[in-house]
Amino acid sequence: MTKTIGKKTLTFNSEVYNDLLCKYQPQIITNEEQNQKYLIIVEELMSHPISTPEEDMLLALLVKLIEDFEEKIYPLNLSTPHSRILHLMEARGLEKIDLFKILSKQGISWEIFDDQLEITTDKAKILADFFNVNPSLFLET
C-alpha cells in the first residue's frame, strides 16, 4: 500500500504497523473505559499534521472498533423521528411555537410537532434543511 503526499509517495511498512499494534494493542471494546482510551488515541493520531500509512491503518481500525462498540451500547434506532425533532429543538433552544412559526410557511403543520402526523419525505427534507441534518433522521425506518 502506498500513500502520496504532494510529490512524495510513502510505502506501507509492515514492521512499523506491527510496532504500532504492539504499542496500542487494539482489541474488541467491551467497556466504556476501553472506548475512552481508544478515543484518546484516535484524537492523538488525528492531530498529526502528516500521518504515515501505518498510522492511517491503525486509525481506521480503532475507528471501526469504536463505531462497533458505540452502535451496540448507544443504538440510535431507539429514538423516533419525533424525539429527534425534540432533541434538535432543545439543542437550539427552540420551543414548538417558535419552530412552527418558522416552518409553517413551508407547509409543516402543528401535528408534526405533537407526533400526531407521520412525516412525509417532502416534510423531512424541509426539516433537514432547517436543522442542517440528513432527511432520513425524520423518516420512520
Side-chain angles (χ1 to χ4, degrees), residues 102-119:
I102 296 166
L103 296 177
S104 64
K105 297 174 187 117
Q106 297 179 42
I108 299 290
S109 67
W110 188 261
E111 290 84 8
I112 284 177
F113 303 116
D114 282 340
D115 199 22
Q116 298 172 358
L117 187 64
E118 186 175 332
I119 301 171

Side-chain angles (χ1 to χ4, degrees), residues 12-13 20 28 55 59 61 65 67 77-78 80 87 100 109 119 121-122 125 132:
F12 185 85
N13 183 321
L20 286 171
I28 302 295
E55 290 172 330
L59 179 63
L61 174 61
L65 291 170
E67 285 175 350
N77 60 355
L78 295 179
T80 65
H87 173 76
F100 178 69
S109 67
I119 301 171
T121 303
D122 292 338
K125 287 178 185 174
N132 197 27

Side-chain angles (χ1 to χ4, degrees), residues 12 15 18 25 52 56 75 79 85-87 91 94 108 117 130:
F12 185 85
E15 288 179 29
N18 189 42
Q25 300 180 2
T52 66
D56 289 343
S79 64
I85 290 173
L86 294 177
H87 173 76
L94 295 170
I108 299 290
L117 187 64
F130 178 78

Side-chain angles (χ1 to χ4, degrees), residues 35-116:
N35 193 50
Q36 288 302 317
K37 174 185 162 189
Y38 289 160
L39 285 168
I40 291 168
I41 296 168
V42 164
E43 286 180 26
E44 177 190 324
L45 290 170
M46 290 178 71
S47 72
H48 296 175
I50 297 175
S51 60
T52 66
E54 299 81 17
E55 290 172 330
D56 289 343
M57 184 74 73
L58 176 63
L59 179 63
L61 174 61
L62 292 174
V63 166
K64 178 65 176 148
L65 291 170
I66 291 166
E67 285 175 350
D68 289 352
F69 173 77
E70 291 185 353
E71 245 177 53
K72 186 172 48 173
I73 300 302
Y74 313 114
L76 290 177
N77 60 355
L78 295 179
S79 64
T80 65
H82 182 255
S83 68
R84 293 176 201 135
I85 290 173
L86 294 177
H87 173 76
L88 291 167
M89 287 170 50
E90 181 180 325
R92 289 197 177 182
L94 295 170
E95 298 292 325
K96 285 182 190 179
I97 190 69
D98 301 322
L99 196 55
F100 178 69
K101 285 177 184 175
I102 296 166
L103 296 177
S104 64
K105 297 174 187 117
Q106 297 179 42
I108 299 290
S109 67
W110 188 261
E111 290 84 8
I112 284 177
F113 303 116
D114 282 340
D115 199 22
Q116 298 172 358

